[in-house]
């Protein structure tokens, strides 16, 4: 019985330690906005997600995608991870055949193994003067979809492009601050 009395202070200390608040770090959150003055249906709208494809979508259940930057191992580049932070890592990325890559939500990007003849990039985004680009020659294009939706892709100019696409800029806009429980 005497040993249980000696363990009581240790048990109380453990209870207080587990009830203490976790140190939090603040994340600066951003939204990605389309700039295309030539098309008022797209200009100023924020990117959102439909399944895993990023673009401009309508609907009551559609909300603007929020991202936070992480320095890439590639010099001068960033990874743009999605918020809120969950158990599984999500990052936006570019996937497809070389020449025309679709902007997507990528699950566990560091473990993605693209199939033969396809490319997967998530750590090559450059943020300059409020604009997001890829660390390769090219430009953003928007392609019309059903209704008033548009998907966003990166073209290096080598792929055949349909006439209904249009050149857009992807702007990097502050969305406020988020929270992430971690160190």
């Amino acid at each position: 019985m005497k040993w249980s009395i000696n363990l009581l202070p240790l048990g109380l200390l453990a209870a207080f330690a587990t009830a203490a608040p976790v140190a939090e770090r603040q994340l600066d959150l951003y939204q990605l906005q389309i700039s295309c003055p030539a098309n008022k249906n797209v200009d100023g709208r924020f990117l959102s997600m439909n399944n895993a494809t990023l673009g401009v979508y309508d609907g009551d259940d559609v909300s603007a995608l929020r991202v936070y930057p992480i320095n890439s191992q590639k010099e001068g580049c960033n990874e743009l991870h999605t918020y809120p932070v969950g158990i599984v890592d999500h990052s936006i990325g570019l996937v497809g055949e070389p020449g025309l890559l679709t902007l997507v939500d990528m699950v566990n990007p560091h473990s993605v193994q693209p199939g033969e003849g396809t490319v997967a990039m998530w750590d090559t985004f450059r943020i300059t003067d409020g604009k997001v680009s890829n660390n390769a020659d090219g430009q953003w294009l928007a392609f019309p979809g059903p209704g008033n939706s548009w998907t966003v892709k990166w073209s290096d100019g080598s792929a055949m492009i349909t006439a209904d696409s249009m050149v857009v800029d992807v702007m990097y806009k502050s969305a406020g601050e988020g929270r992430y429980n971690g160190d």
Side-chain angles (χ1 to χ4, degrees), residues 136-151:
D137 290 336
Q139 61 189 356
W140 293 111
L141 297 174
F143 291 84
N148 194 25
S149 67
W150 295 81
T151 57

Side-chain angles (χ1 to χ4, degrees), residues 32 69-80 92 94 122-137 140 154 170-172:
L32 304 176
I70 293 179
N71 288 332
S72 170
Q73 292 180 354
K74 296 178 177 161
E75 189 174 331
C77 294
N78 291 283
E79 299 175 16
L80 296 174
I92 66 170
L94 296 166
W122 68 93
D123 56 354
T124 58
F125 292 105
R126 289 198 178 272
I127 302 166
T128 309
D129 299 327
K131 294 181 182 179
V132 177
S133 64
N134 188 23
N135 189 32
D137 290 336
W140 293 111
W154 180 263
V170 175
M171 308 304 290
Y172 190 70

Side-chain angles (χ1 to χ4, degrees), residues 60-153:
D60 294 335
D61 60 341
V62 174
S63 60
L65 183 75
R66 294 181 295 166
V67 298
Y68 60 95
I70 293 179
N71 288 332
S72 170
Q73 292 180 354
K74 296 178 177 161
E75 189 174 331
C77 294
N78 291 283
E79 299 175 16
L80 296 174
H81 291 259
T82 60
Y83 183 87
V85 177
I87 295 170
V88 179
D89 184 26
H90 284 255
S91 178
I92 66 170
L94 296 166
V95 175
E97 295 180 9
L100 189 62
L101 304 173
T102 303
L103 190 60
V104 298
D105 172 50
M106 215 178 259
V107 178
N108 290 325
H110 292 279
S111 64
V112 169
Q113 299 294 322
E116 188 174 326
T118 61
V119 176
M121 297 184 287
W122 68 93
D123 56 354
T124 58
F125 292 105
R126 289 198 178 272
I127 302 166
T128 309
D129 299 327
K131 294 181 182 179
V132 177
S133 64
N134 188 23
N135 189 32
D137 290 336
Q139 61 189 356
W140 293 111
L141 297 174
F143 291 84
N148 194 25
S149 67
W150 295 81
T151 57
V152 177
K153 301 182 182 222

